[in-house]
Amino acid sequence: MNLLDPQGPVAAANSTILVDSVFIMLAIVVPTIFAILAFAFWFRASNTKARFQPGFVYSGRVEMVVWAIPALTVILLGGVAWIGSHQLDPAAPVPGTGSPVRIQAVSLDWKWLFIYPDQRIATVNTLTVPAGAELNFQLTSSSVMNTFFIPQLGSMIYTMNGMVTRLNLRADNEGKLKGMSAHFSGDGFPDMMFDVNVISPLSFPDWVATTAKTDAVLNEESYKKLMQQGIEKGKPTYRLEDPRLFNLIATQHIPPGPGPELMSDAGRPHSGGHDAR
Amino acid sequence: MPAAPTVEAMMLGKLDWSAIPFDQPIPLIAGGVVLAGILAVLIWVVVKGHLPYLWHEWITSVDHKRIGVMYILLASMMLLRGGSDAIMMRIQQAIAYQSQGYLPPEHYNQIFSAHGTIMIFFVAMPFVIGLMNLIVPLQLGVRDVAFPTLNSVGFWLTATGALLVNLSLVIGEFARTGWLAFPPLSELSYSPGVGVDYYAWSLQISGVGTLVAGINLVTTVLKLRTKGMNYLRMPMFCWTTLASNLLIVAAFPILTATLAMLLLDRYLGFHFFTNEAGGNVMMFMNLIWAWGHPEVYILVLPAFGIFSEVVSTFSGKALFGYRSMVLATMAICVISFMVWLHHFFTMGAGPDVNAIFGIASMIIAVPTGVKIYNWLFTMYGGRIRFATPMLWAVGFMVTFIIGGLTGVLVAVPPADFMLHNSMFLVAHFHNVIIGGVLFGAFAGFEYWFPKAFGFRLDERWGKLAFWFTFSGFYITFVPLYVAGMLGMTRRMQHYDVAEWRPWMIVAAIGMAVLSIGVICQIMQLVVSIRNREALRDRTGDPWDGRSLEWATSSPPPVFNFAFHPDVRGEDAYWDMKIAAQQQSLEHEEPEYHDIEMPRNSPTGFVCAFFATIMGFALIWHIWWLVILGSLGAFATFVVFAWRDHDEYVIPAAEVAAIDRVNLEERRNLVSMAGAI
Amino acid sequence: MSMTATVGRAHADPHHIGVVVEHPGPAPKRTVTAYGFWVFLLSDIVMFSCFFAAYAVLVSQTADGPKGSEIFEQRNVAIETVCLLLSSFTCGMASIAADVRNRFWFYLGMTVTCVLGLIFLAIEFREFADLVSRGYGPSRSAFLSAFFSLVGCHGLHVSAGVLWLLTMMAQVFAKGFRADVLRRMMCFALFWHALDIIWVGVFSVVYLLGSGV
C-alpha cells in the first residue's frame, strides 16, 4: 500500500507533488538544522576560540534574509498547491480508455457497498474495476462519516449521509489493491478495509456477467438489512433491482442507518461483553 | 427518553450498577489504583495534620504563583494518565496484527479518545497556562494578575473537567468518538452511552475555566505592567502570552457554542448536526476547527515564548531581532484564524477554496520560520551554556523544523488527499505538539522551577530525561511517518496488513524509551527534593537571567516585589545588574510601604465543587442534583460578592524584613560578578 | 560574516529613535475591572456569532416544517424590542444614579429595568411555549433548532442579567455604594447594553430578514 508506489495517474500525481514539496522544503530545512547544530556547538561556552558578540542583537540584512527565505519557499510551494489543487480536484475527470465505469459507493456500518448502476450489480467489500478505464465515483454514507481511500490510486474523499461527494480515479495496472475507510466511524471501523481487484478490461464484462447471475437481490429491503451495524466477513454480491437505489439513499428517502440499538450480537466487533449504558 | 418515571430513575437518572465495569479488569484496576492513591494521599495529609496548611496556603490561595504551580501539578498528573493511554495504544497496535490484540474496540476507542482529550485539554493547556500564571506577573514587575480570585476559579474549573474525565474510567464510559467527537457518530443515535456526555461536559466546564484564565491574562498584560514596561520592552514570553490568550478569548467561545449545540442535539433532540431534519455535519467540522486550529497556536505560542527566554538567557545575549519576533508572534495570532479548512481538504470543497486555505496555512510557516532563524542568530555570537532548559530548546528547534516540514506538506491539498487522517498526520501533530509544546513545557519547567521553589533541579537526571525523551520521540514517531506513507490510517484497533507491523513494533519500543524519559523526569524531581539544600538558589537569579522574574528572591515573597521595578529598556533585569555593577553597589536603605494583597478565598474550590456535582448530574440525567448544583454555584458567587474585606495589608516592617534578605544576597551576587 | 552588528547594550536597538513614552505603571482597579469585563463581553459576542452562523446555515433547513415567516409575530417582537431598548435607557439612568450615589433614582432605574426585562422574557417565553404547543418545537427541524438556540441563548443571558440585577440591588441595599459595588454595577451596565446590541442583531437577522423569506 506504499503511497510512493502509485498504480494510477491520480496517485502518481499526488505522490509526485508530495515528493517535490518535501525536496523543496528539504533545501531549506537541512541547512537550517545543520546551522542550529553548528552554531550550538561552536558557540558553546567552553569554546574559547568562538568570538562572544553580546551586541549582535539586530541586523537589518539578517532580518530581511530570514523573512525572505521562508516567504520565497512558501511562494514556490503555494504555486505547487494552487496548480495541484486545480489539476487534482477529486471531481475533475480522469480520462481513460474505453467507456467510464460508474460506481456508487456507500459506506455502511461497517462495510462498503459498491453499486454499479449501469451493470445492475452491487458488491460488498470488494471493488472490481477494469484497468485503464475512468472510474467515476459517487459517494455517500448510510449513517456516520467515513472516508473512501484506496492509497495506491490516490485522493481520498469523505462520505456523508444525505450528501453526494464525487471522485474520479483510474487504475493502470491489473492486480490486487487494498482500500479502506480513513475516517473513524465506530467500533467496526478497522474492518472496513476492502479489496480492490483491478482486472483486464476484456475480462471485466465476464465478471459483470458472472456477478449478475447472483441469486441475492439488492433492493430497499435487503439494503436495510445490510445497513445494520455489523461486520461483513464474506464478500457478498448482488443483482441490483433498481438502479436508482443510490439516489434513494443519498436523498434520505431511505432513512439513515440505525445506531447500536438494533445491533445483533452476530457480526458485532469483538467485544469484552460489557456495554456501559 | 422513554424511561419510566420510577423513583429510582428520578433519583439516579441513568445511573445504576451496570455503570461500573466490573467485568473489565483494566479500567477497574486502573481506577482502583488511582482511587487508592488519592485516598492514601488524603489520609496522609489528614493524619500528618497538613490539611489546614493545604487549605490556607494552596486550595484557597489566590496567589498567581501558587495557582500556576497547581496548574502544572495537575498537568503533570494528567500527563501520566494520558501517557498510560499512549502506552496501551502502542502496545495494542504492536500486537493487533491479524488478531484482536488485548483491547476490545469499545475499550481501545475510549483510550484514543481520552488520550487526545486529556493531552490537549488537561496536559498541554494547564501546563502552559500554569507557566504563564507563574511567570508573567513577575516578568511584568507586578504583584498579581488582574483578577486573582477568578484565577483560582479558572484553575479549579479546569481541575473539575479533569476529574470528570477520570471519573468516566470507573463510572460509565468515556467517548468512543475521537478527541473531537465528530457527529453524526457522536449523536445520540450512534453513541447512546454517556461517553460523549462525559467528554462534552468536562470540556464545557474546563472551557469556562480556560476562558477565565484567558481574560485574566489578557487584562494582566494589557493593563498591569510596571512603570516603564512599554509594550516593546516586554519580555518575549509576555508577548506570546498576550497572543495566546487573545486567541483563547476569541476561540474558546466557539468551542463552547459548538459543544452546546452538540449537547442540545443529544439532550433535547435538536437537529444541529444530526442526519435527520436538516442537520449539517459539515457545520460542525467548520465550527470545531475554527476553534481547533487557533487552539494549536494557543498551545505553541507560549512555548515559543519560553524558548525565546531560554535561548537568550543561556546564550548570554539579548534575543536577536526582538521586534521581528513580536511581529511574527502577532502575525501567527491573526493568521491562525484563517486556516481552519485545511483540516478537511478531503470533504470535497472546490479547488479554489482548498488552494486558498492551503496557501494561508503555508503562510503561517513564514513567521514561524522567522522565529527559528532569530533563535539561531541569538545563539550566534553567544556563549552557550548547555543547562537542561537549553538542551530542550535546541532539541525543540531541530524537531520542530521537521514537524513544520511535514505540516507544510499536509497543507498542500493534493498531498493531503493521500495523507489526511493517516499515521503520517498523527506523526506530524505529535511532532509539533511534543517537539513544540511539551519540550517547551519541560524547558519552562526546568528553567523556572528554581524561581517557584527556591532550589534548582538536578542536572544529571534532567539531561538523562532529555536524551531519553528526545530519542524516544524519534523512535516512536519516525515509524509512524513511515506507516503513514504505507497507507496506514489512524485509530485502527487491529489490522491485517503485514508491511505495517514492523513499524508498529518499533514505535512501541520508542514508547518504552519515552517512558524512561518520563521516569527520569520523576527521578529528577525526587533527587532534587532530597538534595534541595545543596541545590538551593539564594540569589533569586540562578541562570544569570535577563528579565524581571529574576529580580526577586526564589521563591518570590507573596507580594513579588517590594517596589514596582522601574523599567528602562528591554531585558530589564540585565540592565539593572549592569547598572548595579557600575554604581559600586552602594544602596541607601529604601523606604518601605505597606502592601495590600488580595485575601485568600475558597470561592474557586467551592465553585468547582458545585460544578463537579452539576457536571456529574448532567451526564447521568439526575435533574434535581443539577438544580441543586446550579443554586449552589449562584450562592457561592453571592457570598463572594458579599465579602467586606477582600484585601489584607502586609505592614511595611514585614516587607522590609523580607526584602532586606533578598537585597543582601543580591548584592553579594553582583559584587561576585563584579569581581570576576 | 558580512552582517552589520550593532554594538553596545542589549537595548541599543536602532529603532529606539526619538522620545519613548514611558508606561506609567499598573492601571487603577476600576479600569482593570472594566477592561477585563469588556474582554469577556467580546468573547460572549464571539459565542453568539457562532449561533448566528449556525442560524444562517440552517435557516432554509425546515424539513417540511414551518418557515420563519409562518411563525414570527411582528407585533410581539416589536414590543420585545421596545422593552429592551427602554430598559437600556433606564439601566443607564441607574448607572448615573449609582455614580452620584442617589439611592432613590438607583432603585427606581433598576426596578424599571427589571420589570422591562421580565416583560421581555414573558413575551419570549409565551412565544416559545406557543410554538412548542403547535408542534413547532426545536426538534421539529434544523431551522427551528437554530432559532430556539439563538433566541433562547439571548433569553438565558437576559434571565441571568435579571438575576444579577436583583443581586446588585440587594448589594446596594446592604453595602451602599462601595467602590467594589460600583465596579460591579459598571460591569452589569456593560452587560445589559451588550445584550441590547445582540438583540438588535437577533431582531434584524432572525425576525426582520426571516419574515421576508
Side-chain angles (χ1 to χ4, degrees), chain A residues 1-4 6 10-15 17-19 21-22 25-26 28-29 32-33 35-37 39-41 43-46 50-59 62-63 65-71 74 77-90 109 142-145 147 149-158 160-163 165 178 180-191 193 229 231 233 252 256-261 268-277, chain B residues 14 16 18-24 100 104-106 109 112 172-173 176-178 182-185 188-194 275-277 280-282 285 315-322 324 327-328 331 343-344 346-352 354-356 358-359 362-363 365-367 369-370 372-374 376-377 379-386 394 397-398 401-402 404-406 408-409 411-421 484-494 496-497 499-500:
Chain A
M1 294 172 79
N2 193 338
L3 297 186
L4 300 180
V10 177
N14 282 342
S15 57
I17 286 183
L18 197 153
V19 172
S21 307
V22 170
M25 285 185 281
L26 279 180
I28 308 302
V29 163
T32 309
I33 292 180
I36 291 169
L37 297 175
F39 285 14
F41 177 74
F43 291 103
R44 66 192 186 276
S46 55
R51 199 155 63 92
F52 183 44
Q53 295 165 272
F56 182 62
V57 294
Y58 177 80
S59 154
V62 171
E63 285 303 327
V65 171
V66 302
W67 279 89
I69 291 175
V74 163
L77 274 177
V80 172
W82 181 267
I83 295 167
S85 299
H86 284 82
Q87 282 179 348
L88 288 166
D89 177 18
D109 284 350
S142 73
S143 57
V144 303
M145 273 171 78
T147 300
F149 185 37
I150 305 166
Q152 283 169 288
L153 295 189
S155 286
M156 63 177 86
I157 195 114
Y158 280 144
M160 289 170 281
N161 184 258
M163 274 167 272
T165 40
K178 279 268 184 194
M180 64 175 82
S181 167
H183 187 91
F184 180 70
S185 55
D187 289 351
F189 163 72
D191 289 296
M193 296 201 67
Q229 288 197 334
I231 292 164
K233 287 285 181 199
Q252 294 189 326
E261 289 100 333
R268 187 178 161 176
H270 172 78
S271 127
H274 173 75
D275 204 42
R277 196 166 297 141
Chain B
K14 292 162 86 177
D16 60 31
S18 73
I20 298 175
F22 290 114
D23 52 346
Q24 285 185 357
Q100 289 288 334
E106 72 265 20
N109 299 345
F112 70 67
E173 56 166 4
R176 296 188 247 161
T177 52
F182 286 149
L185 183 60
L188 203 58
S189 16
Y190 301 107
S191 297
V194 292
N275 280 340
E276 297 84 10
N280 189 334
V281 293
M282 293 189 287
M285 305 286 271
S315 301
K317 280 178 65 189
L319 187 65
F320 186 87
Y322 170 78
S324 189
L327 185 66
H343 293 272
F344 41 95
T346 56
M347 203 161 70
D352 290 340
N354 279 353
I356 287 168
I359 292 169
M362 293 173 190
I363 289 175
V366 176
V370 168
I372 299 270
Y373 286 116
N374 277 330
L376 180 68
F377 282 100
M379 293 200 298
Y380 182 90
R383 209 178 263 161
I384 304 172
R385 291 166 289 153
F386 284 99
V394 176
M397 285 164 73
V398 172
I401 290 182
I402 298 169
L405 183 151
T406 57
V408 174
L409 187 63
V412 181
D416 186 65
F417 290 161
M418 296 188 104
L419 296 173
H420 177 74
N421 266 354
M485 291 304 290
L486 295 175
M488 186 171 184
T489 194
R490 68 201 282 206
R491 297 172 174 169
M492 299 282 266
Q493 180 258 345
H494 64 94
D496 298 333
V497 182
E499 48 190 326
W500 296 345

Side-chain angles (χ1 to χ4, degrees), chain C residues 62-183:
Chain C
T62 52
D64 301 326
K67 286 189 293 184
S69 54
E70 295 164 31
I71 53 170
F72 298 151
E73 285 181 39
Q74 296 299 335
R75 200 175 55 92
N76 279 349
V77 181
I79 300 174
E80 281 180 305
T81 309
V82 170
C83 280
L84 219 51
L85 290 180
L86 262 184
S87 81
S88 231
F89 175 73
T90 55
C91 175
M93 294 296 284
S95 300
I96 295 170
D99 285 339
V100 299
R101 293 173 165 66
N102 184 324
R103 280 188 187 238
F104 172 75
W105 283 104
F106 173 78
Y107 288 133
L108 185 67
M110 290 295 259
T111 311
V112 176
T113 309
C114 179
V115 169
L116 288 169
L118 287 174
I119 294 175
F120 172 87
L121 284 173
I123 297 173
E124 188 161 280
F125 184 77
R126 229 187 46 188
E127 183 192 5
F128 280 13
D130 177 52
L131 283 176
V132 172
S133 70
R134 282 156 67 191
Y136 300 152
S139 42
R140 176 66 190 81
S141 69
F143 155 66
L144 283 164
S145 297
F147 165 77
F148 271 88
S149 348
L150 173 56
V151 180
C153 185
H154 178 266
L156 271 182
H157 275 73
V158 175
S159 315
V162 169
L163 212 57
W164 188 358
L165 182 152
L166 293 172
T167 316
M168 247 9 275
M169 286 174 73
Q171 274 229 303
V172 171
F173 178 76
K175 309 278 177 194
F177 294 111
R178 235 168 36 183
D180 57 342
V181 176
L182 284 176
R183 283 202 300 272

Side-chain angles (χ1 to χ4, degrees), chain B residues 319-449:
Chain B
L319 187 65
F320 186 87
Y322 170 78
R323 280 155 191 255
S324 189
M325 288 294 248
V326 170
L327 185 66
T329 303
M330 295 323 276
I332 291 174
C333 180
V334 174
I335 305 171
S336 71
F337 265 104
M338 305 176 188
V339 299
W340 77 91
L341 192 129
H342 69 213
H343 293 272
F344 41 95
F345 280 146
T346 56
M347 203 161 70
D352 290 340
V353 175
N354 279 353
I356 287 168
F357 276 91
I359 292 169
S361 313
M362 293 173 190
I363 289 175
I364 284 207
V366 176
T368 313
V370 168
K371 278 174 171 280
I372 299 270
Y373 286 116
N374 277 330
W375 291 317
L376 180 68
F377 282 100
T378 306
M379 293 200 298
Y380 182 90
R383 209 178 263 161
I384 304 172
R385 291 166 289 153
F386 284 99
T388 315
M390 189 61 188
L391 277 184
W392 286 111
V394 176
F396 150 79
M397 285 164 73
V398 172
T399 309
F400 198 79
I401 290 182
I402 298 169
L405 183 151
T406 57
V408 174
L409 187 63
V410 289
V412 181
D416 186 65
F417 290 161
M418 296 188 104
L419 296 173
H420 177 74
N421 266 354
S422 67
M423 287 309 250
F424 188 94
L425 181 83
V426 172
H428 156 68
F429 65 69
H430 283 86
N431 199 157
V432 284
I433 290 181
I434 294 181
V437 183
L438 201 67
F439 282 20
F442 285 158
F445 177 76
E446 303 277 333
Y447 182 57
W448 284 313
F449 186 91

Side-chain angles (χ1 to χ4, degrees), chain B residues 272-302:
Chain B
F272 280 107
F273 313 121
T274 56
N275 280 340
E276 297 84 10
N280 189 334
V281 293
M282 293 189 287
M283 186 170 77
F284 183 91
M285 305 286 271
N286 278 285
L287 284 172
I288 201 84
W289 284 116
W291 158 81
H293 200 83
E295 165 69 9
V296 178
Y297 289 92
I298 291 171
L299 296 176
V300 86
L301 279 174

